[in-house]
Amino acid sequence: SDLVENKMGVRSLQDGAAIVFESVASWQLVKDTTKLLVHRYPAENAGTAGGDFEVFDLSDGSTMPIGNVRASYLHEKLPLVVVHTVSAAGNEGVQVVDLRSMKVHSVAWSKNHYRALTWADEAGVLGFLAGTEKEGKDGDWNSIALAREFVDGTVQTVMFAPDEVAGFPEGARVSDAGGLGLSEDGSSVTFGVAKWRDKDKPTTEDVAGVQIWHTKDATVMPLQEKQAGAERSRVANYVWNPSDGSFKQFAEPELDAVRISPDHKRAVAFDRRPYESAIKKNGLEYVDVVVIDIASGTRRMVLEKAVTNASGVEASSLSLSPKGTYALYFDGTDWICDRLADGAKRNLTKKFGKKFFDREDDHTVPKPPAGGFPVWQNDDARVFLQNDYDVFFLNPETGDGMPLTD
């Protein structure tokens, strides 16, 4: 093999002693612990199997190996790591290691294909897709698994099996393309649903190279061909509540750029359908920016007919706060804050009497782009904005703020 395998060394700052790890594909230090996670390259003849994974304790040199690991995902706030294992025989497994007790919890082991392993941000809850192949079908038939209680007790697993629940769309499947999203506390799961298509059948017949264009087509034929793959990957967005088993659709496949708040209360999306046309005046494209209440399905307009392909203004400048409380956008002159819960809007920058657009941008667009993009505090309480010269520190709720530079 031509692959150059990396080594990784750790040196003690107390006595200078060094430890060298061979054949390291990736490594990660676990915050607030003495644990080091090391993932090694698979053996040259391993086929589809994974490589060795090692939990190394820097305090005493002890180690715990796990074989055939394809990927690992460390929880950002809890000392938990999940590993996805694949054996040479094709079996796949999901295991969770409690890095405090070093106890290994076996969550799943079968011929299923496990994908989209995802942690809840604030809880020890793990979600993933469990897929099985069916001859003649494009993509796996997926169920959703939700597992918890890795620290204090045995693993509890709840499944969403589409073929066992009433009301799941006929002829559709839980799609890999939709990903998997867990709310912060792990109480709900968002996922994508799409038609379960048949695999394309090879053909030896000669096909005429004829294209039929229509004046009402929103996308010209050559672009349709280029975008066919992306269009086939569109999904309807659903939410599942494991506590009562309910699930519902909250966004249709035609919506773009669907972004879901961490608490799964709201989603923001682009709707280009009112403005679809093969003719782009001045090359500009427009969308409506809508906020969706996931529980009720009600919608509210955040921005109407907002330009989306001129970087740094209107829809293309939209910035959601980390907790999903606010949406911030540049209107060509100022930064406007929309409180997503009720639509209350506030101009954050007008009072400073400064120019916030990019003075050096010379694109021929109706509105100039912003001179910089927002940087949020993780708790949504403050946001940093900038123009060509200064940085401003603002409270998006009250509008209070001050320049940090002058």
Side-chain angles (χ1 to χ4, degrees), residues 307-318 329-332 335 356-358 367-373:
V307 66
T308 187
N309 64 336
S311 179
V313 67
E314 295 189 351
S316 58
S317 69
L318 191 74
Y329 60 89
F330 187 66
D331 67 1
W335 283 99
F356 281 83
F357 62 83
D358 186 349
K367 296 179 180 180
F373 286 89

Side-chain angles (χ1 to χ4, degrees), residues 266-279:
R266 287 172 289 276
V268 174
F270 292 174
D271 188 354
R272 66 179 67 248
R273 288 171 291 184
Y275 316 105
E276 283 187 321
S277 172
I279 301 170

Side-chain angles (χ1 to χ4, degrees), residues 160 165-169 188-193 236-242 244-252 260 264-265 292-299:
F160 178 85
V165 296
F168 192 81
S188 61
V189 181
T190 56
F191 59 96
V193 172
N237 294 96
Y238 278 69
V239 62
W240 168 45
N241 295 295
D244 60 11
S246 63
F247 71 100
K248 64 178 295 184
Q249 178 182 330
F250 62 89
E252 57 272 30
I260 302 166
H264 286 186
K265 290 184 178 180
I292 306 167
D293 184 291
I294 291 178
S296 67
T298 58
R299 300 184 179 188

Side-chain angles (χ1 to χ4, degrees), residues 204-282:
T204 57
E205 296 180 4
D206 292 332
V207 179
V210 176
Q211 295 180 343
I212 301 175
W213 291 43
H214 195 287
T215 56
K216 292 186 178 180
D217 283 346
T219 307
V220 295
M221 186 64 68
L223 192 55
Q224 287 183 35
E225 293 177 341
K226 288 185 177 181
Q227 295 178 343
E231 289 299 311
R232 287 169 65 96
S233 298
R234 286 185 175 273
V235 299
N237 294 96
Y238 278 69
V239 62
W240 168 45
N241 295 295
S243 60
D244 60 11
S246 63
F247 71 100
K248 64 178 295 184
Q249 178 182 330
F250 62 89
E252 57 272 30
E254 292 78 14
L255 294 180
D256 292 315
V258 178
R259 286 174 277 183
I260 302 166
S261 65
D263 58 9
H264 286 186
K265 290 184 178 180
R266 287 172 289 276
V268 174
F270 292 174
D271 188 354
R272 66 179 67 248
R273 288 171 291 184
Y275 316 105
E276 283 187 321
S277 172
I279 301 170
K280 315 294 183 188
K281 187 177 180 181
N282 296 325

Side-chain angles (χ1 to χ4, degrees), residues 22-161:
E22 303 283 344
S23 184
V24 176
S26 63
W27 61 273
Q28 192 170 8
L29 284 166
V30 183
K31 184 180 179 181
D32 297 329
T33 75
T34 57
K35 303 298 193 301
L36 171 68
L37 309 180
V38 178
H39 193 187
R40 302 183 190 276
Y41 292 99
E44 190 170 346
N45 60 350
T48 59
D52 289 338
F53 182 83
E54 187 175 343
V55 182
F56 187 86
D57 194 327
L58 295 169
S59 66
D60 58 15
S62 61
T63 184
M64 185 184 74
I66 301 175
N68 297 323
V69 173
R70 177 176 287 178
S72 65
Y73 305 93
L74 179 66
H75 197 294
E76 291 189 0
K77 297 184 178 180
L78 299 175
L80 297 169
V81 62
V82 58
V83 295
H84 175 203
T85 60
V86 181
S87 72
N91 291 310
E92 297 191 20
V94 176
Q95 295 174 293
V96 171
V97 183
D98 178 354
L99 296 170
R100 289 171 292 196
S101 66
M102 299 301 288
K103 183 176 181 179
V104 179
H105 300 272
S106 181
V107 180
W109 176 256
S110 71
K111 289 287 186 181
N112 287 339
H113 302 145
Y114 299 118
R115 299 184 179 90
L117 279 75
T118 306
W119 286 110
D121 288 343
E122 304 289 345
V125 182
L126 173 72
F128 56 92
L129 299 179
T132 56
E133 296 180 9
K134 184 176 180 180
E135 187 176 354
K137 287 294 186 179
D138 185 15
D140 286 355
W141 176 259
N142 292 310
S143 297
I144 302 172
L146 200 67
R148 64 178 74 234
E149 301 296 341
F150 301 113
V151 177
D152 299 324
T154 57
V155 178
Q156 297 179 5
T157 304
V158 181
M159 299 293 297
F160 178 85

